[in-house]
Amino acid sequence: MPQGFSIGPIEVRFYGIILMLGALAGAWLATREARRRGHNPEIVWDLLTYLLIGGIIGARLWHVLTPPPSSGITAGWYFTHPLDALAIWKGGLGIPGAVIGGLIAMYFYTRRHKLNFAEWTDIAAPSLGWVRRSGAGEILSTRNCMARPQTSRGSCTSILNTGCLVTRMWNIITPCSFTNRSGTLGICS
């Protein structure tokens, strides 16, 4: 399965397009909520740049500090190979870190512009759903968490796995449990 295309020397990855479309859809939703609350919706578009930068930095830090066991890499490895910790193009982003990094960026943005942090987190919160859904599309496009049915029927225990939305959606449709490619229940490889 192709992972993207090239425009001259620039590699464009499908997962990058999917994630950016999710971020734009989330920002559009936040502009509607900002307008409904009587705020200038242009603030959302200005804030989006900071949220993306904070989110990417936070997502990478999360991966560096808590790499998945299936990668065979430990946080200590990144400390001894710091340039690899910066190699974001090699993969490795963590959604919890993206949310934390985005919140930190939003805190500093709202503080600098004298906006109410709590109100702006309320405005942005529904947008996280759009961004998260685009992350599920990214997982599907990179085949990062492809599920296969187990032989036994049971509860949908992988529904607790926050990293595999595609699996969770399938579990809603079917009554059986699933494992991922590595054979473990509810852990993305």
Side-chain angles (χ1 to χ4, degrees):
M1 179 173 178
Q3 293 191 6
F5 55 90
S6 297
I7 301 175
I10 300 171
E11 291 281 326
V12 179
R13 303 289 181 169
F14 292 134
Y15 63 81
I17 293 170
I18 293 169
L19 289 172
M20 285 309 299
L21 288 174
L24 292 174
W28 174 80
L29 182 64
T31 61
R32 294 180 55 89
E33 180 62 16
R35 185 178 295 119
R36 188 184 73 77
R37 291 177 181 232
H39 294 290
N40 180 359
E42 290 301 314
I43 293 172
V44 173
W45 297 111
D46 187 35
L47 180 58
L48 179 61
T49 304
Y50 297 94
L51 292 176
L52 288 174
I53 293 169
I56 291 168
I57 291 170
R60 185 58 180 178
L61 283 173
W62 186 273
H63 173 77
V64 167
L65 297 175
T66 63
S70 62
S71 71
I73 296 174
T74 64
W77 189 86
Y78 282 116
F79 291 126
T80 59
H81 300 86
L83 292 179
D84 282 342
L86 299 175
I88 197 168
W89 56 90
K90 291 183 179 179
L93 299 172
I95 292 170
V99 173
I100 293 167
L103 280 171
I104 291 169
M106 181 181 285
Y107 172 77
F108 285 112
Y109 181 91
T110 56
R111 184 173 169 195
R112 181 173 185 229
H113 294 278
K114 297 180 177 32
L115 300 169
N116 185 321
F117 174 72
E119 185 173 19
W120 280 92
T121 55
D122 280 350
I123 290 170
S127 301
L128 282 176
W130 283 101
V131 177
R132 181 61 194 104
R133 283 179 190 86
S134 70
E138 179 270 333
I139 288 168
L140 181 61
S141 75
T142 58
R143 301 176 64 90
N144 232 4
C145 185
M146 300 306 289
R148 65 178 185 272
Q150 288 182 333
T151 55
S152 63
R153 298 253 178 213
S155 65
C156 298
T157 52
S158 64
I159 202 162
L160 299 174
N161 182 355
T162 59
C164 298
L165 183 61
V166 174
T167 304
R168 287 188 281 155
M169 294 303 290
W170 187 251
N171 283 343
I172 291 169
I173 298 167
T174 62
C176 59
S177 299
F178 285 83
T179 58
N180 67 9
R181 290 181 299 178
S182 65
T184 55
L185 187 62
I187 298 175
C188 283
S189 56

